[in-house]
Amino acid sequence: MEQGKDNFLDKSSLLAIIALGACWLAWDAYMKKKYPNISKPPIVREKETLKEEVLKETKTRITPAVSKERLYKYSGKKMDIVFSSKGLGVKEIKLKEFSDKKGSPIFFKSTEQPLFATQLLQSKETIPFKVKKDRQGYKGVFVTKEIRLVKTITIDEDKFLLKTTLDIKPKKGSLKGVRTVFSQSLPKEDTGNGFVKMLTAYGRDMFKGFVFFEGRKNLFTKEDVEEEQVYPHFSIGALGGKYFGTAFINKSSLLPTMKVKKEERRVKAKVDYTFINKKPITLNYVSFFGPKSLDSLKGLGPEAKKWIDFGFFSWLAHPLLIILKTFYGLVHNWGFAIILLTFFIRLLLLPVNIKSYKSMKIMQTIQPEIKKLRQEHKEDPKKLNLEIMALMKKKKASPFGGCLPLLFQFPVFFALYRVLGESIELYKSPFVLWIQDLSSKDPYFVLPILGGLTLFVQQKITPMNVPPAQARLLTFMPLVFSVFMLNLPSGLTLYIFISSVFGLVQQAFFVKFKQQQ
């Protein structure tokens, strides 16, 4: 060590460092004893404190007090409604103009929380409103030191609607949002399995769910909601069977979220409005309880008609339904309207059928020449194809001419298949004699049997250029088709039968006309 320079670690410096350390340890021990939780990270402590404060506020300040439920009955021309003071929800709705297949009234009801009852997102209890009846509906008020909530329901029977306005004014504390819940009971389970289940399922009342969210539609079944499905920013949510259902239609600028899940024998939908700020807000939405007809769904918005599931050919099904309703306006019987629609479609397709018949006759005429070409060029397939194509071009024949009617009839048939099977217009509508419900199967299977026999006769008088084995197979097709029609709605089997009769008469005329030439 060089002389003349101070040593940093001399005796005095070491004593000062030891004294400073002892003071720090003593101070730390004192602070830990006085504030035992001070050693926890500040961010964790702040989160836990905030969580405890929210829970305390939820339990003690904005949880609605439990009160006795009061019921309010409304009786109108089309609907009987029972409202509940619990959330000013619907305890029960009866549609007076409709009944089920057994003659019982159509009801919408919930055995648990009333349908479309209002509750706060922080609370599990529905809000106990003080309810008053006014000229157009009901008004419920809920006031505490923390919040004022006014719910007004206006009844529109002609459109099967309950128009709801919710005025919310937070005063103190935190308000996350409000929730409303609606549900739909599931129809009876399908019986049987395999082919039998396939034949019987179409005539049953199947669950149909629909939601329009973020600019796109989604149709779902009960199997789709075994696990909870979440649809953000939705405008229309609907649950129902084939002919009736209930729906929620948002009319507010704030878009809610819908969560759908199957619970035992019901499908339940939770609609949540989440608030970004704590300012007063007014929510508007519409509740629908009624038949799934195009007329009744008009008031729900342009997208609501997609709840009626017409399948892939819906673009064709909707015009056909409009034409069918036009014919009904002339004859006032849905059965005769179906017959007129059948003639209308067959007449539209008549030019195609005539062209197809001519093509089939030409193909039948040149069969001997084709057979001769096959013998001459059996060793040279390429040459054979060229010669056959040249012959067809010369005779103006087309091997696909017979398929033209099928190409046009295929989308029409399947569109009508959905229209006549899904439209409530045919629900419990009588035709004549034994057919008293066009939406149910023919009770005596008369139309399926007659349809099969007509197809068999038509097949016998139609010229076919097919191998014998294939011809024998085609002989059984009318029988298979009759079995397929057994459990279809009688309105659909009526269309198939009338269409087959028209085809039989048309084919007989073609054959007779050809013989006279």
Side-chain angles (χ1 to χ4, degrees), residues 202 208-210 217-220 242 292 294 305-321 410-423:
Y202 196 80
K208 304 277 185 177
F210 171 75
K217 72 167 185 174
N218 182 54
L219 289 161
F220 55 88
K242 183 185 292 188
K292 292 168 56 179
L294 291 180
K305 67 179 183 180
K306 297 177 182 178
W307 185 17
I308 304 175
D309 185 15
F310 285 150
F312 181 77
F313 294 105
S314 59
W315 56 272
L316 182 59
H318 285 285
L320 288 176
L321 179 56
F410 181 80
V412 172
F413 174 81
F414 278 96
L416 274 174
Y417 181 85
R418 301 306 292 263
V419 167
L420 300 180
E422 299 281 344
S423 300

Side-chain angles (χ1 to χ4, degrees), residues 188-250:
K188 291 182 179 181
E189 295 288 343
D190 298 332
T191 58
N193 51 52
F195 184 68
V196 175
K197 185 175 182 179
M198 182 192 73
L199 290 178
T200 58
Y202 196 80
R204 292 182 175 273
D205 187 13
M206 311 292 286
F207 172 80
K208 304 277 185 177
F210 171 75
V211 61
F212 188 77
F213 72 109
E214 296 183 337
R216 61 185 188 273
K217 72 167 185 174
N218 182 54
L219 289 161
F220 55 88
T221 65
K222 63 182 179 181
E223 287 77 16
D224 296 325
V225 293
E226 294 289 346
E227 300 293 332
E228 186 176 77
Q229 303 295 315
V230 180
Y231 301 99
H233 309 115
F234 86 100
S235 55
I236 301 174
L239 308 174
K242 183 185 292 188
Y243 299 112
F244 302 93
T246 180
F248 178 99
I249 304 93
N250 179 57

Side-chain angles (χ1 to χ4, degrees), residues 8-39:
F8 177 73
L9 295 178
D10 59 10
K11 186 177 181 180
S12 299
S13 299
L14 287 174
L15 288 174
I17 292 172
I18 292 171
L20 184 61
C23 291
W24 184 84
L25 290 174
W27 175 257
D28 185 60
Y30 169 75
M31 293 299 292
K32 285 183 178 180
K33 184 177 180 180
K34 187 174 182 178
Y35 304 103
N37 294 325
I38 197 171
S39 59

Side-chain angles (χ1 to χ4, degrees), residues 166-170 175 253-254 273 275 277 279-283:
L166 209 57
D167 290 311
I168 305 168
K169 295 182 179 179
L175 181 61
S253 58
L254 181 63
Y273 284 98
F275 303 149
N277 52 50
K279 296 179 181 179
I281 188 172
T282 298
L283 301 177

